[in-house]
């Protein structure tokens, strides 16, 4: 059921994907490292994902998340693209249960994901040696054995957190802003963010937060946490969140392709 309230001309609603309809989204994470001013590193991870709501009850919505393509773009580093892609495909097909607040509560196919990854891992280890690679593979294995940790990983903004943020639940506009905690695994940090509605032709929500640091702010700023969620026809059309902590800047983007 669509939840719409009108307060001073502002509309508020919960995200409402149509049942059994597949939406194609592009997720992008752009990471810039300024720790060495002479050689700024920049790398972009782009995922094309098909999202389908296949079942819905009054308290839970069940989604299939299917990763169809991963692209890595980098001008300053030379990542092992083949291995990164193989590791990312450990999460290529996921079935999750999400509540009305956008919190992932269940991962229904975690055993199948783990079994599939263990087979892939063993095949990769036959041709890829080294302790660093073995440790990276084992980290994924551990993640796929622990549903609580996997939920935390999938809820991060570099995965699907920015999409599911749209499930605000039964809040009213006079209860705005929505204030909640969001983990940022890229910074190993949990942040308090505030989400405000704005009256526009489209439905817009602004995200604000503050990343704490021991250093004092500098002119170009390193304590950045802000973004926008844009909706059309009760679907997330576009979203981004820009963050920066000291010498590391990360932008998370989500775009509806169709």
């Amino acid at each position: 059921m669509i939840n719409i309230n009108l307060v001073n001309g502002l509309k508020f609603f919960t995200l409402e994907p149509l049942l059994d309809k597949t939406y194609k989204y592009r997720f992008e994470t752009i990471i810039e490292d300024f720790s060495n001013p002479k050689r700024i590193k920049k790398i972009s991870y782009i995922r094309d994902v098909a999202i389908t709501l296949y079942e819905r009850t009054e308290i839970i919505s069940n989604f299939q998340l299917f990763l169809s393509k991963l692209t890595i773009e980098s001008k300053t580093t030379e990542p092992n693209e083949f291995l990164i892609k193989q590791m990312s495909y450990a999460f290529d097909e996921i079935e999750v249960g999400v509540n009305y607040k956008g919190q992932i509560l269940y991962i229904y196919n975690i055993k199948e994901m783990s079994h599939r990854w263990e087979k892939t891992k063993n095949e990769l280890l036959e041709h890829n040696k080294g302790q660093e690679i073995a440790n990276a593979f084992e980290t994924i294995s551990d993640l796929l054995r622990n549903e609580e940790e996997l939920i935390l990983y999938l809820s991060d903004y570099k995965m699907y957190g920015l999409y599911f943020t749209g499930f605000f639940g039964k809040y009213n506009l006079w209860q705005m802003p929505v204030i909640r905690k969001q983990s940022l695994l890229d910074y190993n940090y949990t942040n308090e963010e505030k989400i405000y509605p704005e009256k526009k032709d489209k439905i817009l929500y602004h995200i604000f937060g503050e990343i704490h640091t021991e250093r004092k702010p500098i002119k170009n700023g390193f304590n950045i946490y802000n973004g926008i969620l844009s909706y059309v026809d009760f679907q997330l059309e576009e979203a981004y969140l820009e963050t920066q902590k000291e010498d590391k800047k990360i932008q998370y983007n989500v775009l509806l392709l169709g």
Side-chain angles (χ1 to χ4, degrees):
M1 179 178 179
I2 297 174
N3 174 31
I4 301 180
N5 292 303
L6 297 178
V7 178
N8 297 325
L10 282 170
K11 295 181 180 180
F12 175 72
F13 61 96
T14 55
L15 183 63
E16 289 286 346
L18 297 177
L19 192 65
D20 294 326
K21 179 180 171 80
T22 297
Y23 298 88
K24 295 180 180 179
Y25 278 90
R26 178 158 293 164
F27 294 77
E28 183 177 17
T29 300
I30 304 170
I31 303 173
E32 295 180 79
D33 185 343
F34 304 100
S35 57
N36 183 356
K38 295 181 179 180
R39 192 171 185 270
I40 297 174
K41 298 179 181 179
K42 183 176 181 180
I43 187 167
S44 176
Y45 300 92
I46 303 169
R47 295 176 296 136
D48 290 344
V49 179
I51 299 178
T52 306
L53 172 66
Y54 66 87
E55 185 178 27
R56 178 167 51 206
T57 69
E58 292 183 0
I59 59 175
I60 202 82
S61 296
N62 295 328
F63 289 85
Q64 181 190 62
L65 312 170
F66 180 74
L67 171 63
S68 60
K69 182 180 179 181
L70 171 69
T71 304
I72 302 172
E73 298 179 353
S74 176
K75 296 181 179 179
T76 55
T77 59
E78 297 180 1
N80 191 323
E81 186 169 339
F82 172 76
L83 285 182
I84 292 175
K85 285 185 176 181
Q86 293 303 311
M87 289 188 287
S88 70
Y89 288 137
F91 311 98
D92 62 352
E93 187 173 345
I94 309 169
E95 294 179 10
V96 297
V98 181
N99 69 8
Y100 67 90
K101 291 185 178 181
Q103 298 168 323
I104 299 175
L105 299 183
Y106 309 106
I107 301 174
Y108 300 119
N109 63 332
I110 187 170
K111 290 184 179 179
E112 292 85 350
M113 293 170 63
S114 179
H115 177 74
R116 191 168 65 244
W117 165 246
E118 289 302 316
K119 182 179 179 180
T120 300
K121 180 184 74 173
N122 292 333
E123 292 174 353
L124 291 172
L125 285 174
E126 291 181 5
H127 305 286
N128 298 274
K129 306 298 182 181
Q131 193 59 46
E132 185 176 348
I133 291 176
N135 290 341
F137 288 173
E138 195 58 34
T139 297
I140 295 176
S141 294
D142 291 341
L143 192 60
L144 292 174
R145 296 187 191 108
N146 188 320
E147 185 177 22
E148 184 177 344
E149 290 298 320
L150 184 56
I151 286 174
L152 181 64
Y153 178 73
L154 296 178
S155 301
D156 194 78
Y157 280 159
K158 70 178 179 181
M159 293 300 289
Y160 297 106
L162 200 54
Y163 174 80
F164 287 122
T165 292
F167 285 78
F168 292 119
K170 299 178 180 179
Y171 293 98
N172 294 313
L173 282 172
W174 51 84
Q175 294 174 307
M176 289 293 186
V178 174
I179 301 176
R180 59 197 205 174
K181 299 287 187 179
Q182 175 65 38
S183 65
L184 297 174
L185 296 180
D186 285 318
Y187 294 109
N188 191 25
Y189 184 84
T190 298
N191 189 59
E192 182 178 90
E193 61 182 27
K194 299 178 181 180
I195 305 175
Y196 298 84
E198 180 176 326
K199 184 178 179 180
K200 292 285 186 180
D201 294 335
K202 297 180 180 180
I203 305 299
L204 281 179
Y205 289 92
H206 289 269
I207 306 173
F208 296 99
E210 183 176 356
I211 296 180
H212 300 288
T213 176
E214 294 179 357
R215 292 170 53 182
K216 295 181 179 180
I218 55 179
K219 185 175 181 180
N220 63 346
F222 57 79
N223 185 3
I224 300 171
Y225 192 102
N226 60 72
I228 288 178
L229 303 164
S230 175
Y231 295 88
V232 61
D233 297 330
F234 302 103
Q235 308 306 320
L236 179 65
E237 180 183 41
E238 186 174 4
Y240 81 85
L241 181 73
E242 184 179 23
T243 68
Q244 184 169 341
K245 184 179 180 183
E246 300 180 357
D247 297 321
K248 191 176 186 180
K249 181 178 180 180
I250 305 177
Q251 184 169 319
Y252 306 98
N253 301 299
V254 183
L255 180 66
L256 176 63
L257 301 179

